[in-house]
Amino acid sequence: MRYDPYIRAAITIVIGCTFSSACYADLPLTIESLTTDKGRFKLDTAISYFNQNSSNLLSQGSSVIDLGNGSIISIPNLPIEGTVNTDTIVGTIGLRYGISEAWELGIKANGIALEQRQENEGKVSSQNDTRLQDVSLTTQYQFTKNNKSLPDSLVFSELSLYDNTSGFKTKTASSITVGSTVYTVNDPIALSLTGIYQHNNDRSLVSVPESFPDQVDIGNVLSVSGSVAFAVNSDITLNTGVGWRMIEGDEFFDSEIDRATRTETSLNLGMAYALTERSNLTANLRTDVSGDSGSTLSLGMTTKLGKLPPPISQQYRKHKERNNLDN
């Protein structure tokens, strides 16, 4: 892979972040929703609005929409020069199942409705697109939890089962995303650091202009983000953070046409609210600080299905009691 030095750097950052804490107070909702209890299901639903205003898109290739929770999708930019304003609605639905207390499997689908308005040399035009964007298999494993010497951490991955990105032929296994999160809780504060790497496979274009390559090697994506969450009370958590992303330039087969690698930084703001014992509502805004990555506003809900597990605060208090007995 062309990103080997960056992959090693990301792994070093994640492993080297030595957070440590005894998590036995009421935890922020953002931490509680990370994993699924053994033998139980969680239903995740979300709607996201992405807005971008860019110029001279000829050199940019595609735009990356960060949906949070390690999920990234791409939409191609119009191959023209000029100014383009993009509005995109992304609907997400996913179902997760707890195989064990530490391991979960899930499936997730994204659908999009997109409108792009372009202005070039005094002429204005627009195009619309609505489609099922992709279906993915997800998995997550709680690597360490309540460990005396290691920070709390989990690893996750996402494999594309079906990809129907505009401009490309549909494909299975078009991308795979791997990542890890390390976190610590010092009630009422939770700190977390997440590293994500998305490898994109080669794609074939649907329609190819004359003398233009028909295949493209989509650039891979590496991102690192950190956040601070504050539990206002037992029902509300506020969080803020920053993110950095590197998007490798696209490469066209049998052609000298290449895209430049670009980097972007973003500001992330969010809130989680406990609607009921079963459901948590989240709202997040991710906006670019540098680059033309645009902004994404997401509203999501996580719902526990079936019999409710014990409150997470009760689970941690039991863990604390066991530790006291052991000592």
Side-chain angles (χ1 to χ4, degrees), residues 9-324:
I11 293 173
T12 302
I13 291 172
V14 171
I15 295 176
C17 186
T18 55
F19 289 137
S20 62
S21 174
C23 306
Y24 37 72
D26 289 326
L27 296 183
L29 301 173
T30 49
I31 298 297
E32 181 180 359
S33 62
L34 287 178
T35 56
T36 303
D37 296 282
K38 180 181 178 180
R40 293 180 171 87
F41 288 93
K42 275 188 178 179
L43 177 67
D44 298 313
T45 55
I47 185 167
S48 302
Y49 167 69
F50 171 76
N51 175 258
Q52 182 187 48
N53 193 78
S54 298
S55 301
N56 299 322
L57 293 178
L58 184 62
S59 63
Q60 294 187 22
S62 61
S63 294
V64 173
I65 303 178
D66 184 357
L67 300 177
N69 300 320
S71 183
I72 299 172
I73 64 174
S74 298
I75 56 172
N77 291 323
L78 296 179
I80 64 163
E81 293 186 357
T83 300
V84 175
N85 183 260
T86 301
D87 287 323
T88 304
I89 300 294
V90 182
T92 303
I93 184 169
L95 186 65
R96 294 181 281 160
Y97 177 74
I99 303 295
S100 67
E101 293 297 340
W103 181 34
E104 70 175 32
L105 288 175
I107 191 168
K108 179 177 62 176
N110 292 307
I112 70 169
L114 175 148
E115 181 179 14
Q116 290 179 312
R117 297 170 294 276
Q118 64 186 57
E119 180 180 354
N120 186 27
E121 298 180 349
K123 297 181 181 180
V124 178
S125 60
S126 65
Q127 70 175 30
N128 299 275
D129 186 25
T130 301
R131 65 178 61 221
L132 175 64
Q133 174 79 5
D134 57 53
V135 178
S136 301
L137 177 68
T138 65
T139 183
Q140 184 168 259
Y141 183 77
Q142 185 83 48
F143 192 67
T144 57
K145 186 174 183 180
N146 306 323
N147 192 286
K148 294 181 180 180
S149 58
L150 296 175
D152 291 342
S153 63
L154 54 86
V155 293
F156 54 86
S157 65
E158 182 175 315
L159 173 66
S160 174
L161 301 178
Y162 169 82
D163 191 303
N164 189 34
T165 300
S166 175
F168 297 109
K169 295 180 181 179
T170 58
K171 185 170 183 174
T172 300
S174 63
S175 66
I176 182 170
T177 302
V178 294
S180 177
T181 295
V182 293
Y183 63 92
T184 181
V185 179
N186 294 284
D187 189 43
I189 301 294
L191 306 175
S192 66
L193 179 68
T194 299
I196 300 168
Y197 177 75
Q198 182 184 76
H199 173 74
N200 295 304
N201 289 325
D202 305 337
R203 300 298 299 272
S204 298
L205 299 172
V206 173
S207 58
V208 184
E210 187 177 352
S211 301
F212 199 83
D214 62 353
Q215 280 193 305
V216 56
D217 182 4
I218 301 296
N220 305 318
V221 180
L222 172 69
S223 68
V224 179
S225 61
S227 69
V228 179
F230 174 75
V232 178
N233 53 43
S234 60
D235 294 330
I236 298 176
T237 295
L238 303 178
N239 65 77
T240 184
V242 294
W244 174 87
R245 179 166 54 233
M246 177 184 290
I247 304 170
E248 188 178 36
D250 300 340
E251 294 185 359
F252 292 86
F253 283 59
D254 301 323
S255 171
E256 296 182 356
I257 302 175
D258 291 326
R259 309 297 191 192
T261 295
R262 66 185 190 270
T263 56
E264 303 168 342
T265 55
S266 63
L267 173 67
N268 308 319
L269 302 172
M271 181 193 74
Y273 176 66
L275 288 176
T276 66
E277 286 185 298
R278 289 187 178 277
S279 300
N280 290 339
L281 179 67
T282 59
N284 291 281
L285 172 65
R286 289 171 289 277
T287 184
D288 67 313
V289 177
S290 66
D292 291 322
S293 56
S295 300
T296 304
L297 176 63
S298 301
L299 295 175
M301 181 179 294
T302 298
T303 303
K304 300 174 183 177
L305 305 180
K307 183 180 178 182
L308 288 173
I312 195 162
S313 57
Q314 178 180 329
Q315 299 176 37
Y316 277 103
R317 289 191 181 101
K318 287 183 178 179
H319 172 76
K320 179 185 177 182
E321 292 171 358
R322 287 195 298 269
N323 283 344
N324 290 338

